[in-house]
Amino acid sequence: MANAQIRSPSVAIIGAGMTGILMAIRLREAGISDITILEKAEKVGGTWRENTYPGVACDVPAHMYTYSFRANPQWSNRFAHGDEIQGYFEQVAREQGLSEQIRFNEALEQCHYRDGKWHLTTSKDAQLVVDFVVSATGILHHPAYPDIPGLESFGGDSWHTARWNHDVDLSGKRVGIIGTGSTACQVISEISETDCDLTVFQRTAQWVVSVPDKEYSEAEKTRLSRDPSRLALLRRRYAFVLRNTFSKAVTGSKLPHLLVSWLAKRNLRKNVRDPELRAKLTPDYPVGCKRLIISSRFYEAMQRDNVHLETTAINNISEQGVVTVDGITHELDVLILATGFKPFDFMRPMDLRGRDGVTIDEAWEKKVQAYRSICIPGFPNFFLMLGPNSPIGNYSVIAMSEVQTDYVLKLIDLWRSGELPTVEATEDAKQRYNAYLKAGMGKTVWVRGCQSWYLDADGDPAMWPYSWEQWVHEHEVPVLDDFVHQPPAEVEPLRPAA
Ligand code: NA7
């Protein structure tokens, strides 16, 4: 922006995952150097550091799942494996000299707004006072443990997929897995190839589209590194296909939905021959209502001799294993919980208080909402990255973070130039924005009769119901009228930047 800068901000970024790294890079490019990054763990990577289960991979093509400014011609596969993605983020952080700037093993515990500043207390009891806080804590970050009676009484080994226990060798063991979401499908595809005896406890069948993986040969990688335009073209092609198929299919476009539905149904028909198994694997809701599963291996895995599909509901868990409502105990040595995450927890349990000591729980008592997913009225100069109604789904979350990061930088620029005394969306703007979102929800597939992690407590999808293009367009220029303009009493008068 061309505005003269009269203030220079200090910024704390919470989390050194994909978004935190990106935000730090962009802030520095904008000439902001007073940046503190707090990371609760011992290394960067966020979700890719935490999810190390067998078969972990990104179901968005790797060349799209990269920062736009840091292409990677070296991806081994179309769908990159988790450890390779983790390596990519570590490398970017190293290249950018960020690793030295990140305060590892230091979580943010308290974050209070008073006297026009954010006052932070970390797990190491350190105190920080900053102008801006960016919460880059990720969406799928808090494991959801199932509320099944007797879970703690299980006598074997048990863990959530996001806390994989690598000390236990599954071979020769009776293994049970609860869940059939994207994570479970990857785990099942991988561990079914070992000699464990695997029982899959499915509560709801899933639609699966098969997109084959592909290994890039050394020659292809060399061609891609020598010719950046080839790499850029590959990225654009994937982005085009995803936007015009999966993304449109879920937000109400008929033709893309027909196409994706056809792909999912054909995959099931063609690849599961046994009619009884096929019936059990057939969902009773429209394709895309739950997050679509991308896998060319899942159905094959489900037909292996050592894999059993159990669709009778679970009654409880006993010391021996899983007890279904028909009274049968499925005896197990290992129980894996592929039961997903709590997507509405965001930065919690951090003690976050905005203006007048209002806690985030109070602000979100009725509903988890934000203005443009990012700004929460009453929480000035606080940005929630990938907040409620970000366009998550079958598209690259990195692309989303890049759009949101640019938008946040524009807001910070308005503060630097003095056009905004603080960056705080008005309550009215938040309500109008959420009414606009709600108006679009009716035509999306997420409200067509299924339960999923997309839905909040009121059954409203916390998703973006319009097109990707519209979302990008709406983040290009901040609407000044949507922000508080009267400097609150506690904000210091403007002073020139040092
Ligand atoms: P998901 O997609 O939330 O899947 C969780 C799975 O666990 C799903 O099949 C659930 O069945 C099942 N589940 C959860 N609780 C229970 C209980 N109590 N009993 C039986 N089954 C249960 O999580 P994932 O980790 O697979 O994927 C999350 C996202 O990560 C994914 O969408 C990608 O964006 C990456 P349900 O369908 O609710 O009946």
Side-chain angles (χ1 to χ4, degrees):
M1 280 199 180
N3 300 330
Q5 293 161 13
I6 56 172
R7 291 192 281 194
S8 165
S10 50
V11 185
I13 300 173
I14 316 309
M18 176 276 288
T19 305
I21 294 172
L22 170 68
M23 182 55 85
I25 293 171
R26 291 295 200 216
L27 284 168
R28 289 201 318 202
E29 283 170 0
I32 297 168
S33 55
D34 190 348
I35 305 168
T36 308
I37 311 168
L38 295 171
E39 168 52 59
K40 68 174 170 23
E42 73 296 349
K43 55 183 180 177
V44 302
T47 197
W48 301 105
R49 180 195 62 236
E50 286 180 3
N51 285 278
T52 59
Y53 57 81
V56 59
C58 183
D59 59 9
V60 170
H63 288 100
M64 250 193 92
Y65 196 83
T66 41
Y67 296 124
S68 58
F69 53 89
R70 175 54 173 83
N72 179 18
Q74 297 304 323
W75 290 121
S76 309
N77 290 70
R78 172 179 286 149
F79 297 112
H81 298 176
D83 52 356
E84 204 177 355
I85 301 175
Q86 172 65 20
Y88 169 80
F89 288 123
E90 286 178 15
Q91 193 176 341
V92 174
R94 250 193 325 271
E95 285 167 5
Q96 297 281 337
L98 283 179
S99 307
E100 296 78 51
Q101 205 173 344
I102 301 168
R103 287 162 63 160
F104 289 106
N105 298 306
E106 191 166 1
L108 179 58
E109 292 193 335
Q110 264 188 10
C111 186
H112 294 180
Y113 185 78
R114 58 175 186 271
D115 308 327
K117 299 264 186 191
W118 283 101
H119 297 253
L120 279 52
T121 307
T122 75
S123 54
K124 291 189 174 164
D125 232 10
Q127 318 280 324
L128 272 126
V129 180
V130 294
D131 295 306
F132 287 92
V133 175
V134 178
S135 172
T137 53
I139 331 160
L140 301 172
H141 157 66
H142 296 281
Y145 287 85
D147 191 13
I148 302 175
L151 183 60
E152 346 57 58
S153 65
F154 180 60
D157 290 302
S158 179
W159 58 81
H160 189 279
T161 48
R163 304 282 181 270
W164 195 269
N165 183 349
H166 292 276
D167 294 335
V168 177
D169 179 5
L170 298 181
S171 66
K173 301 241 166 75
R174 297 164 301 174
V175 180
I177 182 164
I178 300 180
T180 47
S182 305
T183 303
C185 290
Q186 291 185 342
V187 174
I188 293 163
S189 302
E190 192 73 16
I191 66 175
S192 63
E193 289 182 0
T194 69
D195 68 347
C196 68
D197 184 77
L198 180 62
T199 304
V200 177
F201 295 93
Q202 171 188 282
R203 185 164 67 180
T204 315
Q206 297 272 4
W207 287 114
V208 182
V209 166
S210 171
V211 183
D213 200 3
K214 162 192 160 83
E215 237 177 87
Y216 290 102
S217 65
E218 287 309 314
E220 279 173 294
K221 290 186 213 169
T222 309
R223 272 200 297 278
L224 288 171
S225 19
R226 285 200 185 132
D227 186 355
S229 65
R230 214 183 173 104
L231 199 54
L233 181 67
L234 190 60
R235 182 186 175 94
R236 278 204 303 277
R237 264 198 212 143
Y238 278 130
F240 180 84
V241 171
L242 277 188
R243 282 210 293 271
N244 289 293
T245 54
F246 297 117
S247 304
K248 286 202 170 146
V250 287
T251 51
S253 297
K254 288 214 168 62
L255 263 181
H257 191 260
L258 276 174
L259 170 70
V260 176
S261 301
W262 177 77
L263 287 172
K265 288 173 185 171
R266 189 187 64 149
N267 185 29
L268 180 61
R269 206 172 47 241
K270 229 178 95 187
N271 293 313
V272 182
R273 291 278 170 209
D274 171 19
E276 202 182 318
L277 180 65
R278 197 186 313 137
K280 286 182 175 177
L281 290 171
T282 304
D284 60 0
Y285 54 84
V287 174
C289 185
K290 278 175 181 290
R291 189 177 187 277
L292 199 62
I293 292 183
I294 310 293
S295 174
S296 58
R297 298 170 70 198
F298 177 63
Y299 288 150
E300 187 188 345
M302 291 306 295
Q303 292 168 93
R304 295 205 167 99
D305 292 341
N306 59 332
V307 179
H308 325 285
L309 177 61
E310 184 53 66
T311 55
T312 309
I314 297 172
N315 185 65
N316 65 290
I317 291 169
S318 69
E319 194 182 344
Q320 287 73 32
V322 171
V323 185
T324 40
V325 289
D326 50 12
I328 294 174
T329 299
H330 303 263
E331 292 192 8
L332 301 169
D333 304 307
V334 176
L335 178 60
I336 297 164
L337 308 172
T339 43
F341 299 86
K342 294 188 272 186
F344 295 97
D345 279 12
F346 292 105
M347 75 301 272
R348 292 181 281 186
M350 179 200 303
D351 172 12
L352 173 62
R353 289 163 199 255
R355 188 191 302 295
D356 304 325
V358 172
T359 67
I360 189 66
D361 288 344
E362 286 164 349
W364 278 348
E365 196 181 0
K366 289 205 188 108
K367 209 168 177 66
V368 175
Q369 281 185 334
Y371 168 77
R372 294 199 184 281
S373 312
I374 294 173
C375 301
I376 308 166
F379 292 76
N381 293 2
F382 183 93
F383 302 118
L384 171 58
M385 307 306 290
L386 299 175
N389 300 98
S390 296
I392 41 175
N394 297 76
Y395 196 64
S396 169
V397 80
I398 299 187
M400 280 159 229
S401 266
E402 291 197 350
V403 173
Q404 290 189 335
T405 301
D406 288 349
Y407 178 74
V408 165
L409 282 164
K410 286 172 191 161
L411 292 176
I412 293 181
D413 244 1
L414 289 166
W415 179 90
R416 290 166 97 185
S417 69
E419 277 181 78
L420 288 177
T422 55
V423 181
E424 181 182 0
T426 64
E427 179 61 30
D428 176 57
K430 185 199 84 178
Q431 287 187 13
R432 272 187 285 112
Y433 184 70
N434 281 278
Y436 160 68
L437 293 174
K438 178 104 182 162
M441 293 301 177
K443 64 177 180 30
T444 70
V445 70
W446 308 305
V447 294
R448 285 173 54 196
C450 73
Q451 186 48 245
S452 76
W453 62 263
Y454 291 162
L455 305 178
D456 69 12
D458 303 323
D460 292 327
M463 302 286 284
W464 170 253
Y466 305 109
S467 71
W468 167 259
E469 290 79 3
Q470 190 168 337
W471 187 75
V472 173
H473 174 68
E474 290 184 14
H475 286 78
E476 275 163 6
V477 184
V479 179
L480 277 172
D481 286 349
D482 288 348
F483 292 87
V484 172
H485 282 271
Q486 279 305 315
E490 74 266 27
V491 175
E492 277 180 40
L494 299 186
R495 57 181 156 70

